Amino acid sequence: MIETPLSKPTSPGRRRLLQAALLAPTMAALAGLPGCSLPEQVDGTFLQPWLDHTNWTAADWQRSMNLARRVGCRQLVVQWSGILGGTEGDWQLSDFSFRMLFNAADQAGINIRVGLPFEQRWWQAISADETALRAFFEESLQRAHEWLQQSTLPRQRRFAGWYVPYELEQYHWADAQRCQWLAEWLQALQRAAVARGGDCAISTYYSRLATDGSLVSLWESVLATTTLRPMIQDGVGVPGEDDHLALAPLLAFFKERGVAFDAIVELFHELPTAGGDGTQFRGESADFARVQQQLQWARNSGAGNVLVYALEPWLTQDTPQAEALRRAWRL
């Protein structure tokens, strides 16, 4: 998460700002390569759809899934099905786009966890007062119910559950009452999703903003009412490897409680911006040696699955850093 104090414009988040990196993919160069023994393999990856993805052809989806298969992926998390209230207006991946994706995933032997539509108002709501926050919870829950009721995705052969496209951190949820409202909202979302088939997961990360809240307290509240599957972001893409130390209490809590979770390794490195206030994001593909250290941490964390964020764009874009990462990965 790219973070800013509440006195500044709320950032739309690290993952929301990776769109620019999709402008020059080299997916075709990665398609159809002969198999070889890779230095690292992972269990899964994320796909962050943008409006451009609505124009992808079957060949585009096949190239993407073939790359994921070559890296060892058995699962894909589609971060969201669309965006509501974004700068480009409301949009969603069509049923036809999803059919092409699921067909390509089936051929590659990859299961898909589908994210609900993302509501851009989330970033304003979690920084707002009680009235605005509760209004967001109520309205977004109703829209999620309606979308889930109409979705045909659970009928797809490789459908493997749902993903709630909002990332949980301790900064905005230090207040016990707000945390309780959050837990109740997530409980209702999870029930609606599970009723349509499959389990439900959500990401979490450690916020570097000063707060009295803690990830352990937050997840104690959430898990008291839900069985959401946590997916822990390693956070190395922005603040660096110190985030692994900050996550240790949460890992210990999950181990003590027997909570199954997944780990997410970030394949990018944040670059400085002119403003330096977190409202913009520039990044480049990470160094392979750093990624190997992250993967080792993830495998030792007790995670059930290790996913990367994300093969696209950080392995596919046409940059020297991405090329070096592909070369080190023998792709």
Side-chain angles (χ1 to χ4, degrees):
M1 178 70 167
I2 297 176
E3 301 167 308
T4 59
L6 292 183
S7 59
K8 297 180 180 179
T10 303
S11 165
R14 176 170 59 209
R15 297 189 177 181
R16 290 284 295 115
L17 288 170
L18 302 185
Q19 185 176 16
L22 289 168
L23 296 180
T26 58
M27 293 293 296
L30 298 174
L33 296 178
C36 61
S37 177
L38 300 179
E40 297 287 352
Q41 295 205 351
V42 298
D43 300 313
T45 186
F46 274 71
L47 174 72
Q48 185 184 58
W50 295 100
L51 184 58
D52 289 347
H53 285 91
T54 63
N55 297 320
W56 269 27
T57 66
D60 293 322
W61 292 113
Q62 288 166 359
R63 285 192 293 268
S64 183
M65 293 302 96
N66 286 344
L67 171 63
R69 179 184 61 192
R70 293 201 63 244
V71 183
C73 295
R74 296 173 288 104
Q75 57 182 288
L76 170 75
V77 179
V78 178
Q79 187 168 338
W80 48 59
S81 300
I83 295 178
L84 304 179
T87 57
E88 296 174 310
D90 295 353
W91 63 268
Q92 294 188 38
L93 291 175
S94 67
D95 288 344
F96 182 60
S97 290
F98 268 117
R99 281 198 301 273
M100 289 189 291
L101 169 57
F102 272 94
N103 287 340
D106 191 27
Q107 294 173 20
I110 295 173
N111 296 322
I112 299 180
R113 183 183 292 277
V114 179
L116 306 181
F118 175 81
E119 301 219 10
Q120 180 66 27
R121 278 204 305 144
W122 163 261
W123 302 109
Q124 289 74 42
I126 63 177
S127 300
D129 59 21
E130 170 187 339
T131 301
L133 178 63
R134 301 196 73 176
F136 171 82
F137 283 158
E138 180 179 352
E139 294 162 8
S140 63
L141 179 60
Q142 179 61 36
R143 282 188 288 271
H145 266 286
E146 294 171 355
W147 184 86
L148 285 163
Q149 287 299 315
Q150 296 171 5
S151 176
T152 61
L153 296 177
R155 302 175 193 168
Q156 296 288 341
R157 171 178 162 79
R158 286 287 176 173
F159 177 78
W162 303 101
Y163 178 77
V164 178
Y166 305 101
E167 302 167 351
L168 303 183
E169 35 67 33
Q170 80 280 14
Y171 177 74
H172 288 97
W173 310 106
D175 179 79
Q177 182 61 74
R178 288 170 60 90
C179 196
Q180 181 61 34
W181 294 332
L182 171 69
E184 292 170 354
W185 176 67
L186 290 173
Q187 179 188 45
L189 274 179
Q190 182 202 19
R191 285 178 174 173
V194 171
R196 295 290 293 130
D199 69 342
C200 203
I202 192 170
S203 292
T204 191
Y205 69 95
Y206 176 78
S207 171
R208 290 282 170 175
L209 298 179
T211 177
D212 294 331
S214 77
L215 279 177
V216 171
S217 296
L218 167 65
W219 276 96
E220 280 183 324
S221 179
V222 171
L223 293 175
T225 58
T226 77
T227 55
L228 282 169
R229 185 180 183 92
M231 306 184 80
I232 303 178
Q233 301 175 27
D234 75 346
V236 175
V238 176
E241 293 180 42
D242 285 349
D243 249 34
H244 288 169
L245 299 176
L247 290 169
L250 183 62
L251 294 177
F253 170 71
F254 285 162
K255 181 178 180 180
E256 178 186 354
R257 294 290 184 89
V259 176
F261 68 93
D262 299 325
I264 304 170
V265 166
E266 296 174 343
L267 299 184
F268 61 88
H269 168 68
E270 184 189 22
L271 298 173
T273 57
D277 60 3
T279 58
Q280 296 179 333
F281 177 82
R282 289 198 314 127
E284 64 184 15
S285 302
D287 177 79
F288 186 64
R290 196 207 77 182
V291 171
Q292 286 184 307
Q293 294 177 349
Q294 294 170 258
L295 289 171
Q296 188 61 48
W297 168 85
R299 290 166 183 146
N300 292 336
S301 69
N305 300 285
V306 176
L307 296 89
V308 291
Y309 195 89
L311 297 182
E312 181 197 347
W314 304 114
L315 267 177
T316 61
Q317 60 185 341
D318 188 14
T319 66
Q321 294 78 16
E323 182 180 355
L325 190 57
R326 291 195 296 272
R327 188 165 55 247
W329 222 308
R330 300 176 191 165
L331 295 170

